[in-house]
Amino acid sequence: MAVAGLGEFAWDAAAGLFAVSARMAAITGLRPGPAPAKTTQALEPFIPPEQSRGPDGAYEFEFRHVRPDDGRTVCLRVAGVLARGPDGRLLSVTGVVEDVTSRKLEEDQRQTLLAELDHRVKNVLATVLALAQQTAKRTTSLDAFLANFGGRLKAMGSANELLTAARWRGAAIDHLAAAELGALAPGQTAWDGPELFLTPRAANALALGLHELAANAVKFGALSVETGRVNLRWSRLPDGGFELTWTESGGPTVSPPVRRGFGATLLEQVTGRELNGEAAIDYRPAGVCVRLRAGAAAVAPRPETVPDAPAARVVEAVTTVAGPTNLRGARVLIVEDAVLLAMELETGLSDAGATVIGPAYELEEALALLGQPIDAAVLDANLNGHSVSPVAEALAARNVPFVFATGYGETGGAPGGFDAPVIRKPYDVTQVASAVAELLQVNRSHPQSRP
């Protein structure tokens, strides 16, 4: 009992004593040793109600106990047995006590985290639905909708990846800037400012805002030409908030838009309000200038865990395969445990001309399909809690190229250290098709280049 952390007690009706061991005294704050007790009143907290007792007198229950010595509240687990005589009269009670305060605290924290996760998931789904509806209202073609909506989802995904790495305690502005601008136009973008962390709500809002600015700069602004530049600067404000300025230069001459788009609405209304501040867009002829002011409520304390700055997105678009993606004749294995995503991949790859093998939703299914001729594969990193590494190892041993399409945010490259491209979820299925086409092209040019 000492090794198990248990304390023991006993009540004897004939002797009229309630005995508490030294171990139980340390756990409960009661006085150790025997004490006069002709009735069970002294040990009532350690005996459950009549309906909770078993037919053989055994019982077990948990309750909160206020220690009489120091007033602390602890959670106790009690297990005991009541012995009765032939006439049913209670003769003795013997039991053990365990301090389960830490376990109960962990359970309470787990329930709190699950409730918080449920809340965040519902918020994310509601936000995605709102983005879809607002994007659809302001686009005139399906292709435009998919491009705009997909880009906004990627911005949300980048922010969530950073927040997850910091255990949802905050995301650094420079990391948000790097995630959105780092691989967009090398040499044409720059960002600078003091170390500053945002709350999850503010981080998501700013990620969406930066995405809208970047997308507009690539389509119409400074990043649409090689001579253009984008400078992002931020500074702290005396009230605890911050000010961020986006400045474009060297691009086409700017004039105010005739029609107000969703991007401007999102910046001025959504982003400004979510940051507890305001946003203003100035369409200067030399380049767009946007100023965001955020209140102190948008700033989070520095997290205990600060992730490294994110690497540039490994695969956001594949540009080396010219023209429409052509996978005619290619046999492509799909390994993906999300049924809807697998269906979308199957449709997209089939439309590009590929013969789809699978999809495999479980590790065992994927391993069973490896006996077929395979030219390339698309792998999810995790299949219902199981690593896809056995499949990747088998493919690599056969010199079959593969691409990871995953939601895991590993900044050090491909999952498991494999030499393979990575496409982060959420993705456009055309990216996957293009990545597969490029892999096949490289593999044909260098058939022994992979391990």
Side-chain angles (χ1 to χ4, degrees):
M1 286 196 295
V3 171
L6 302 176
E8 67 272 19
F9 64 90
W11 175 77
D12 188 331
L17 294 175
F18 174 41
V20 174
S21 72
R23 286 188 294 268
M24 178 173 172
I27 294 171
T28 63
L30 299 175
R31 287 186 177 183
K38 295 190 178 296
T39 68
T40 59
Q41 183 177 359
L43 68 155
E44 276 182 1
F46 303 96
I47 303 178
E50 190 75 35
Q51 60 270 21
S52 301
R53 305 170 192 174
D56 57 352
Y59 64 87
E60 182 178 348
F61 71 108
E62 295 179 1
F63 72 103
R64 294 185 182 276
H65 169 69
V66 180
R67 294 172 56 107
D69 57 344
D70 56 16
R72 288 190 297 118
T73 300
V74 293
C75 294
L76 303 179
R77 183 182 72 87
V78 181
V81 61
L82 299 92
R84 299 183 182 276
D87 58 355
R89 186 169 58 88
L90 186 61
L91 300 179
S92 66
V93 181
T94 307
V96 293
V97 176
E98 178 186 9
D99 187 344
V100 294
T101 305
S102 59
R103 176 172 63 78
K104 293 294 290 184
L105 180 60
E106 289 177 359
E107 291 177 357
D108 291 345
Q109 290 174 336
R110 190 178 301 114
Q111 289 300 318
T112 301
L113 288 173
L114 287 173
E116 179 64 18
L117 177 62
D118 179 65
H119 169 72
R120 287 177 179 169
V121 168
K122 289 176 179 176
N123 273 351
V124 168
L125 292 175
T127 301
V128 169
L129 179 60
L131 276 177
Q133 292 172 335
Q134 292 297 323
T135 304
K137 289 178 181 178
R138 292 169 169 82
T139 50
T140 56
S141 70
L142 178 60
D143 289 341
F145 168 79
L146 291 175
N148 293 336
F149 183 56
R152 286 161 184 160
L153 283 186
K154 288 183 180 70
M156 289 181 63
S158 296
N160 278 268
E161 190 172 310
L162 292 170
L163 289 167
T164 300
R167 299 180 182 178
W168 276 82
R169 289 184 172 87
I173 289 185
D174 60 326
H175 290 184
L176 293 169
E180 191 58 47
L181 300 177
L184 197 59
Q188 292 182 254
T189 59
W191 54 91
D192 185 51
E195 184 181 65
L196 202 60
F197 293 88
L198 304 186
T199 64
R201 177 177 176 178
N204 274 304
L206 184 59
L208 278 174
L210 292 177
H211 168 74
E212 295 302 321
L213 289 170
N216 186 74
V218 169
K219 290 180 183 178
F220 315 109
L223 300 184
S224 65
V225 297
E226 294 182 357
T227 57
R229 286 188 59 83
V230 168
N231 284 286
L232 187 64
R233 298 287 183 270
W234 61 89
S235 59
R236 290 182 179 273
L237 296 175
D239 63 0
F242 67 91
E243 182 174 89
L244 180 144
T245 304
W246 169 287
T247 307
E248 297 184 28
S249 61
T253 302
V254 175
S255 58
V258 177
R259 184 177 64 87
R260 185 179 183 81
F262 177 58
T265 301
L266 189 148
L267 275 170
E268 292 182 343
Q269 296 187 21
V270 180
T271 305
R273 290 181 182 276
E274 292 291 308
L275 294 174
N276 296 285
E278 59 183 7
I281 306 175
D282 186 2
Y283 297 97
R284 301 173 182 174
V288 171
C289 180
V290 178
R291 180 178 58 83
L292 293 172
R293 289 179 65 91
V299 179
R302 191 179 195 276
E304 296 176 3
T305 302
V306 179
D308 296 331
R313 291 172 180 166
V314 181
V315 175
E316 284 299 331
V318 179
T319 57
T320 57
V321 178
T325 303
N326 184 357
L327 296 175
R328 189 172 304 280
R331 294 158 298 191
V332 182
L333 170 66
I334 296 176
V335 181
E336 169 61 66
D337 62 358
V339 177
L340 287 176
L341 286 179
M343 292 172 60
E344 181 71 9
L345 283 171
E346 184 176 14
T347 300
L349 295 177
S350 297
D351 289 346
T355 298
V356 172
I357 300 173
Y361 303 104
E362 303 283 349
L363 182 61
E364 292 76 11
E365 289 182 79
L367 292 172
L369 293 174
L370 292 179
Q372 302 185 32
I374 299 171
D375 297 313
V378 179
L379 307 179
D380 187 7
N382 185 287
L383 300 172
N384 292 318
H386 298 284
S387 172
V388 80
S389 290
V391 179
E393 290 170 358
L395 292 171
R398 292 169 48 182
N399 198 37
V400 175
F402 52 88
V403 58
F404 285 104
T406 177
Y408 283 85
E410 298 186 30
T411 57
F418 288 97
D419 177 22
V422 179
I423 300 178
R424 305 293 184 199
K425 295 176 181 177
Y427 53 71
D428 185 335
V429 71
T430 58
Q431 294 175 240
V432 181
S434 297
V436 171
E438 181 172 341
L439 282 176
L440 291 171
Q441 188 178 78
V442 171
N443 210 50
R444 293 189 189 103
S445 303
H446 307 284
Q448 302 301 321
S449 63
R450 297 181 60 82

